[in-house]
Amino acid sequence: MPDPSFPVNFPAPGQPVDELALAEIKSAILAKLRLAIGKDAGMATRQDWYHAAALALRDRIVHRWLTAEKQSYDAGSKRVYYLSLEFMIGRLFTDALNNMGLLAVFEAALGDLGESLSELRKCEPDAALGNGGLGRLAACFMESMATLAIPAIGYGIRYDFGLFRQIINQGWQQEYPDEWLSFGNPWEFQRPEVIYHVHFGGGVEHVEEKGRDRAIWHPAEAVQAVAYDTPIVGWRGQHVNALRLWSARSPDPLKLDVFNTGDYIGAVAEEARAESICKFLYPNDESPAGRELRLRQEYFFVSASLQDLVRRHLVSDGPLRGLTQKAAVQLNDTHPSLAVTELMRILVDLHNFPWESAWQVTVATLSYTNHTLLPEALETWPLELFQRILPRHLEIIYRINDAHLALAEERCPGDVDFRASVSLIDEKSGRRVRMGQLAFVGSHRINGVSAMHSDLMKETVFHDLNHLYPGRITNKTNGITFRRWLMVANPKLTELLREACGEAVLDDPTRLAHLEARASDSAFQERFRSVKHHNKLMLARLIGERLNIKVDPAALFDVQIKRIHEYKRQLLNILEAIALYHAIKDDPQANWVPRVKIFAGKAAASYRYAKLIIKLINDVAEIVNNDPVIAGRLKVAFLPDYNVSLAEAIIPAADLSEQISTAGMEASGTGNMKLALNGAVTIGTLDGANIEIRDHVGAENITIFGMEAMDVVVRRKQGLDATDVIRRSPKLSRAVSAIGSGEFSPGDPGRFESIAHALRHLDHYMVSADFDSYFEAQRGIDARWQVVPAWTRASILNVARMAWFSSDRAIREYAEDIWNVPVHGPPSQASAQRGAMG
C-alpha cells in the first residue's frame, strides 16, 4: 500500500491515475463512510459522501502535519505566529486536494463510487472567518508559509456565525447568521486539553516584593479559550501548518444552584456572556455593548494566543529570555495590538522580568502590518471602557507611554503638539487609547502592503512616529497564492499554461513569462479566448440561476467585487452605468459594445450609506435589465453573499477588473492581483498595488484614470462642493438628477436624494470629480474591446507578467527582512516526483 503521508504524482490533464492509488482512495472513502459517518453507501446523502471524502483526505494530510511539526521541533526552528481577527480560508476540500496532488485520483475514485467531485465540493460551506481582503490575505499567507516550509501557526477566533449571510430582498441588503458549522467541520480537531483562562475587569493590587513593585491583577471574570486546529497544506503536501482558532466558554457553564431555584435563564447567563465572544465577526460597535464586545473579542484571542506560544516556548525552547530567537509574532492590522501589553504583562507580572528586559523582548518579537490610511480605522478605545475591561493593561500602557513621551521630548524638546501626536492616549477626543500607535511603538518593524501605501504611511497617519522611530517602517507588497487563484479557480487556463510554459510553471510562477512569446500568436490567442469563453458561460449560468438575469457570454464582463465602501467607489461604477444607459437610450442604433456590470460585496451591517448604494445598484439593474430599448446591450447584476467560492466563479470569467478606489485610500488590494492573473484588464486609479501592477504588466496593458493621491489632497483642501464639476458635465448632471429625482425608484422618488446631495456638495471620495475621466476611460475600453487580437494580447500579457504578485514572494520578504526565519521551497516538480516514486 502506498505511504498515505506522501502525495501522489501530479498527472497531466487526461493522463490516467495510478490504479493502486485509485483503489486505496476508494477503500478509504468507503471506510470513512461506514466507520466515521455510520452510513452504508446505499443510504448515504451527498453531504455524507462529502464528509467521508474529506475525512479520507484529512488522514493523509495529518501524516504530513505531524511529521512536519516533529521535524521543526527537533530542529529547534524559529516559529512564526500570525495573529489575525480574520482568516477567510474559503472551502478547503479542493484546495487541499490540489496541494496534496490528489485531485485527479479523488475525482476518479468518487466517479467510480457514483459521486461527482464538483458536486460534492458544493456541500462544503465557506468558513465564515473573514470579511474581505484582510482575511483573504491571512489565508494566502498561511498557505504560502506552509509551501515555503516555514513553521507557523495562525491564531484567530472560531466564530460560530462569522460576519453574516447576505440576502438581497427587494434590492436591500439583509443580514442573517451564517450557519457554516451546522453540519460540523471535518477539517478541524478540537483540542479539549488546550484551554487557557482569559480574564476581564476587576482591579490591580501593587505590592513590594524583593525591592520591586509587583502588580497583582484581581480580575472579576474569567473566560476559557478552547483550541480548535485546522491543518493548512502547503504546495505538493511537503509541509503542513496549523490554524489554531479559539472558542470561548464559561468555566462554570451551568450554575446548578441557580438552576434548581427555577431561574433557568440566569443559570446559563455566564455561559451566554462568554460564548458571545465567538458568535459574530465585527459586532456592531455603535452601542456601548457592541464596543465592549469588540474589545473583549480582541483581548480574548490575543491573550489565549500569547499564553499558548509562551507555553510552547517554555516546553520546547527553555527560558523566555530566548523568546525572540525562537518566535516571531506578526500582528495583522490593529486588531491584535493588545499583544504589546499582554506580552509585557506575561513577562513582567507572571515571569518576573525586569521592565526594561521585558520591553526589549516584546519589541524584538512583535511586528505589525498596517492595512489602512483611514484614521478612523486605526482603532481607539474610550479610556473608561479600557479601564473597566483591562485595568492592568491600561497601567502598562501608561508606563509605556511615559518612556515613549520622554523620548519624544528628547527628540523634539518643548514641542507639545508633537508629543500629543505620538502619544498612546488621545487627549483631544474624549481620552482614548490609540491602538495603531501602541502597535507601532511595541513592534520592531511596521510594514505597509504596497509601495505607495508604505510611503504614505510615513507622510500621513504615522508621520511623527516615523520621525521618532526612523527605519521601522518597511514595505511588503501583498501577494496571492497562485494555487488557489489560478490552479483551483481556473483549471482550464492552468491546463493551457502547463502546455505553453512547461510543467515547471506549477512550482515556479516566473515561468509564466514564457507566455509573452505567444501573446501575439493567433492560434494561441484563439485557445486563450476559448478558455475565457468557457469560464464566462459558467458565470452566465450562475447569474441566471441566482438572479434570473440572462447575460450574453460574448459581452464584456465588467467586474467589481469587494467590500462595499464609499472609498472603493461602487457608486462611481453605477453612476457610469446610468450615464451609459442614458447614452444608449439616446442613440440605440449606435455600435454599442455589449457590457455586463457585475457587482458583489457586503456592506457592514451598520453602514447605512453603503447599504443604500447596494439598493441603488439593484434598482438601476431592475430598470436597465428590463428596458426593451437597451435590448440587452447593458446588464447590471449584483450577486449576493460574496465569499471565496463566489470569487472563484467570478474571477476567471472577468474581462475588466474595476479597481477604482479614491487615490491614496486603498492600502494595496489583492482582488486586483487575482483578476489580472486570470487575464482581466484593469481599469483603475493610481492607488494601492495598482501602481505596481502597472509597472509589471506595462502601462499599455492597463487603463489608468482620475486624480492621483496628491491631487485628492489638494482638492479636499479647496472644498468638497462639486456643483461646478457637475454643471460642466452634461452626462454627470443628467445621471445625478436621475438618481435624485427618482428615475430608478419611481415608487419612492426621494429614496436616493441623500446620494445625489452628497455627489453635489460632499464629494469627499471624489466620485463627481473623477467621473468624466472614468467615463472617457470606459469608452476607451469599449474601443479596445472591439479590436479582438489587441485585447487578447493585453489579457495574455497580464497573465504572463503577474508572477511577482505571488504570496510566496511576499512571505519570503517577511521571512528575510522581518522574521529572520529560513525559507525552504516551494519544492521543485522533479524532487516531488522522485519522492513520490521512491
Side-chain angles (χ1 to χ4, degrees), residues 688-745:
N690 289 353
I691 298 170
E692 287 148 297
I693 291 175
R694 177 202 61 181
D695 294 344
H696 281 267
V697 305
E700 69 281 7
N701 298 309
I702 187 172
T703 295
I704 299 296
F705 75 94
M707 289 183 285
E708 297 185 24
M710 291 312 299
D711 300 326
V712 171
V713 172
V714 170
R715 179 162 181 83
R716 282 182 179 155
K717 289 179 179 178
Q718 294 172 345
L720 300 179
D721 190 275
T723 51
D724 284 347
V725 171
I726 294 172
R727 188 171 56 250
R728 291 194 299 268
S729 172
K731 294 182 180 66
L732 176 58
S733 179
R734 184 178 176 187
V736 173
S737 295
I739 291 171
S741 66
E743 179 178 332
F744 299 99
S745 54

Side-chain angles (χ1 to χ4, degrees), residues 411 441 587 779:
R411 188 65 54 86
V441 172
D587 188 6
R779 304 292 72 77

